[in-house]
Amino acid sequence: MGDAVKESAGDRELMSRLQAGDEAALGALMERWELPLKGFIARIVLNASEAEELAQETFVRVWQQREKFRAGAEFRPWVFAIAVNLARNRLRWWR
């Protein structure tokens, strides 16, 4: 089994635990995805401190919206979609 497949399965397991209310699962997801999200968001907003804030807000939304996550779905596209929406909203707010 490839690393990407194992990571994806691990993310799904963590989301399953998170949906059951396991806060430690959120910590594990944050540890894995925080840096990739910060880099991604920074390329959108062109501001490292804003990227840091928006990455944290992304994980707040993951916790708040955890019950909307479809069982068996991929975590990466879902979390990056949340991040993109938050970054776009921030850019609109700056105008």
Side-chain angles (χ1 to χ4, degrees):
M1 192 181 307
D3 288 343
V5 173
K6 288 178 186 175
E7 290 172 356
S8 181
D11 290 343
R12 284 194 294 272
E13 170 62 27
L14 289 169
M15 276 308 296
S16 177
R17 289 176 35 205
L18 186 65
Q19 287 177 314
D22 182 354
E23 292 179 23
L26 180 61
L29 287 166
M30 288 177 71
E31 187 174 305
R32 174 163 155 60
W33 289 104
E34 186 174 20
L35 289 178
L37 278 172
K38 283 181 192 175
F40 178 73
I41 295 167
R43 288 190 299 275
I44 296 171
V45 299
L46 304 175
N47 183 310
S49 64
E50 287 294 325
E52 173 99 25
E53 183 179 323
L54 289 169
Q56 292 300 314
E57 180 62 26
T58 298
F59 288 109
V60 169
R61 298 288 173 94
V62 165
W63 175 260
Q64 291 171 339
Q65 304 296 318
R66 66 191 181 276
E67 293 182 7
K68 294 182 180 180
F69 182 78
R70 279 184 302 112
E74 295 291 326
F75 178 74
R76 185 181 189 279
W78 186 68
V79 74
F80 276 78
I82 293 170
V84 165
N85 289 333
L86 288 170
R88 286 181 180 160
N89 288 342
R90 182 63 51 99
L91 291 174
R92 259 186 253 142
W93 183 72
W94 283 346
R95 287 186 192 164

